[in-house]
Amino acid sequence: MGGGLSFLKKETAYEAPKKEPPMAGSINVYFASATGNAEKFAKAITRELEGLGFDADYFNLNEFTKEDILGCKRALFVASSSGEGQAPFECRPFMKWIENEDGTITRDALDGMAFSVFGLGNMEYRYYNKCGLDLDKHLHGLGGSRIMEVGLGDDSNGNLEDDFELWKDKMVRALMLKYHPKAATLGFKDEIISHSGSSKVPGKVRTEFRTVPLSAQEVAAEAAKPPRALSEISMEPSNVRFFTAPPVKVLVNRELRPEDAGLSTRHIELDLTDSGLQYQTADNVAILAENSAVVVEGVAKALGYTLAKVVRLQPKQMSAKASARRQVAIRPFAEPFPSPCSVRDILTRFMDLSGRLSQTLLLQLVPYITDLEQKSWLIALLSKDRKAEYKEFVSSTHPSLASLLGKELSSAEIPLTDLLHLVPYLQPRYYTIASSSTEHPSCVHMCCAWSSKNAGLCSTYLKVSLRNPELSC
């Protein structure tokens, strides 16, 4: 779909880092994610707990089972709020169940569970962090005991990650002191955490699938097959858009401002004919943008990828231990995006290569940096006692993964499989529809603003990639 627009309603294995044996017992980390942040945070605290001696694993509440939750003795929940304070759409069956309005769960069903909740919200919305607060209330109401009071992250001021890091540090300390027999030896004491100001460097990312290159014959055989029916595909719930968003044709894409190199406001009309899409006046249109060829080729060059290579995603076999811990039948592999596909398509259409980098992601890059000076620079930048320096670096340079790989972290060696587990997926960008569904039932009108000082991925995509009003996409 190169240049198109979508519309919505042996990769080398790594050696696992040496870590403490799981002497602190098991703990489950559950997440309810709307845009990927809750999932990212859940995986971050899971990795840290694993490295400290916990038998930790993370689970998507999209796929919860009553038996898993009721049988869990230690649990952390990382939950986003969306809309009017609801849980993310796919997680609402879990919230409906845990609310227990029908009384099917006994009031002491979670009597043996020790838990804590971190909520992700935005104070600019009416129901701030309602999902996380409600979840904490319901878990406690069913007999669960709080390890620590609910943590609240606020995305309105750009400090969501700082809020999470603060909660995570307190949470890890509380868990270590309560459950780890060697907590004091590892630097955790009742009075303070006697760690240095440096952030703990994690091992390489844990992978759940791998990328398998296809031969020319296999590529030809795949091309000859009919497209798979959506009903036959097990999709990652948070990435369904990659499978279902239809392409639409751009009828009009014109500039509304006088000529100005630094500012742009474009009027865009999208043809919904034959797309199967309908809208109501004042709905939002969600655009799936694509990374530019310059960014894609720069990342591929920095990491040594062959863009024309076609790969298939292949799930890793779940270990016997992991299977036993889940105590449920192993579910089909949930594909994060359609495959087989080329490396160019993966980097162009699915991975967020230009977005704002989180400290969590930067820390996860450390094991992949091969140059000692670059690695030391990154570790120092992420130190807890250099937050002001980090914020200055981010505000002055607006670093993205693509820009860092081309400069400060040019020695990074990241296998494609690992990259797909490190980098967030592209998220849709929403624009308010300006047209009337009565007057224009098969055509959406929208406006898009662009500024050279703060050029976003989607606004740049619409301004530059779709300049030709006759472009079919």
Side-chain angles (χ1 to χ4, degrees):
M1 273 190 10
L5 177 75
S6 288
F7 176 64
L8 289 176
K9 204 166 172 147
K10 177 175 173 179
E11 284 295 341
T12 55
Y14 65 84
E15 292 293 330
K18 293 182 179 179
K19 58 186 179 183
E20 291 288 314
M23 61 178 65
S26 64
I27 186 165
N28 290 352
V29 183
Y30 298 96
F31 64 88
S33 195
T35 62
N37 282 327
E39 179 177 359
K40 175 181 67 178
F41 290 162
K43 290 179 178 179
I45 195 168
T46 299
R47 278 189 291 268
E48 185 157 341
L49 291 172
E50 281 183 317
L52 288 169
F54 285 85
D55 183 10
D57 205 352
Y58 53 83
F59 302 86
N60 193 333
L61 284 173
N62 292 355
E63 304 171 333
F64 92 102
T65 68
K66 301 173 185 178
E67 294 76 16
D68 278 347
I69 303 297
L70 295 175
C72 182
K73 298 304 181 184
R74 302 177 195 165
L76 303 181
F77 294 83
V78 185
S80 295
S81 294
S82 62
E84 293 297 304
Q86 304 104 318
F89 183 78
E90 293 84 0
C91 299
R92 290 176 190 173
F94 166 76
M95 285 301 295
K96 182 176 178 60
W97 174 74
I98 202 71
E99 285 167 1
N100 198 32
E101 291 184 354
D102 58 4
T104 57
I105 312 175
T106 60
R107 301 304 297 176
D108 60 351
L110 300 182
D111 187 50
M113 175 189 283
F115 76 93
S116 191
V117 175
F118 181 79
L120 291 76
N122 187 312
M123 289 196 75
E124 294 179 354
Y125 287 81
R126 179 180 178 185
Y127 298 101
Y128 172 58
N129 252 314
K130 187 175 186 299
C131 178
L133 291 166
D134 284 353
L135 178 56
D136 175 77
K137 178 181 71 175
H138 296 314
L139 292 168
H140 187 257
L142 291 172
S145 59
R146 295 184 178 99
I147 301 170
M148 196 170 74
E149 290 301 310
V150 60
L152 302 178
D154 178 19
D155 198 30
S156 67
N157 53 14
N159 290 331
L160 180 63
E161 188 160 358
D162 289 343
D163 293 339
F164 169 72
E165 288 294 329
L166 182 63
W167 176 83
K168 178 168 70 72
D169 288 348
K170 291 179 178 179
M171 188 73 254
V172 169
R173 175 173 177 263
L175 291 170
M176 290 294 290
L177 292 174
K178 189 174 180 67
Y179 298 117
H180 202 299
K182 294 186 177 180
T185 304
L186 293 172
F188 294 86
K189 299 181 180 179
D190 286 331
E191 315 82 50
I192 59 170
I193 301 176
S194 57
H195 286 146
S196 69
S198 297
S199 298
K200 180 177 176 60
V201 177
K204 292 184 177 180
V205 68
R206 183 177 71 181
T207 58
E208 299 175 346
F209 58 84
R210 63 192 186 103
T211 54
V212 180
L214 301 189
S215 67
Q217 291 81 1
E218 289 172 319
V219 172
E222 288 291 339
K225 294 179 181 178
R228 290 184 296 169
L230 292 178
S231 60
E232 299 174 354
I233 304 173
S234 176
M235 310 174 201
E236 174 60 43
S238 56
N239 286 2
V240 169
R241 61 189 177 277
F242 292 143
F243 297 85
T244 61
V248 297
K249 185 175 182 178
V250 179
L251 298 176
V252 177
N253 189 339
R254 69 171 183 268
E255 181 60 56
L256 300 179
R257 285 179 174 271
E259 187 171 340
D260 185 331
L263 296 172
S264 171
T265 302
R266 303 194 73 81
H267 170 83
I268 298 170
E269 297 180 15
L270 308 175
D271 183 10
L272 305 188
T273 305
D274 299 326
S275 69
L277 298 171
Q278 297 178 330
Y279 77 99
Q280 297 295 321
T281 303
D283 275 353
N284 290 328
V285 53
I287 305 295
L288 283 178
E290 297 180 354
N291 293 304
S292 71
V294 172
V295 166
V296 169
E297 290 164 10
V299 169
K301 181 179 180 181
L303 297 177
Y305 298 161
T306 301
L307 290 172
K309 181 185 293 184
V310 175
V311 299
R312 183 199 308 278
L313 302 185
Q314 184 178 87
K316 295 177 68 175
Q317 294 297 318
M318 182 181 290
S319 67
K321 183 187 83 168
S323 177
R325 284 195 60 224
R326 289 176 184 259
Q327 298 181 342
V328 293
I330 298 175
R331 300 176 179 87
F333 170 55
E335 300 180 39
F337 53 79
S339 82
C341 61
S342 69
V343 175
R344 180 180 289 277
D345 272 352
I346 292 174
L347 299 184
T348 300
R349 298 172 51 201
F350 307 130
M351 310 311 298
D352 190 355
L353 306 178
S354 303
R356 176 178 175 270
L357 288 176
S358 68
Q359 285 182 280
T360 301
L361 174 55
L362 286 171
L363 192 60
Q364 291 170 347
L365 293 178
V366 172
Y368 299 92
I369 310 304
T370 59
D371 179 82
L372 183 58
E373 185 175 341
Q374 292 184 1
K375 180 178 289 190
S376 298
W377 169 81
L378 184 56
I379 292 173
L381 182 69
L382 298 173
S383 297
K384 297 180 186 297
D385 54 4
R386 298 178 69 173
K387 288 186 176 180
E389 184 177 334
Y390 171 78
K391 287 186 176 180
E392 171 60 26
F393 173 73
V394 170
S395 63
S396 61
T397 65
H398 304 289
S400 66
L401 179 67
S403 66
L404 287 178
L405 291 177
K407 191 177 180 182
E408 290 91 348
L409 304 181
S410 58
S411 70
E413 295 182 359
I414 310 174
L416 180 61
T417 291
D418 291 40
L419 187 81
L420 301 187
H421 289 81
L422 287 166
V423 178
Y425 294 108
L426 281 170
Q427 298 294 325
R429 270 60 169 182
Y430 293 88
Y431 296 83
T432 301
I433 295 175
S435 53
S436 163
S437 57
T438 303
E439 293 294 321
H440 304 280
S442 61
C443 184
V444 161
H445 296 196
M446 57 174 282
C447 287
C448 174
W450 176 91
S451 168
S452 60
K453 293 182 179 180
N454 189 23
L457 171 67
C458 195
S459 57
T460 300
Y461 174 66
L462 292 170
K463 177 180 183 292
V464 178
S465 301
L466 305 180
R467 185 170 291 163
N468 181 353
E470 299 301 318
L471 180 63
S472 179
C473 49

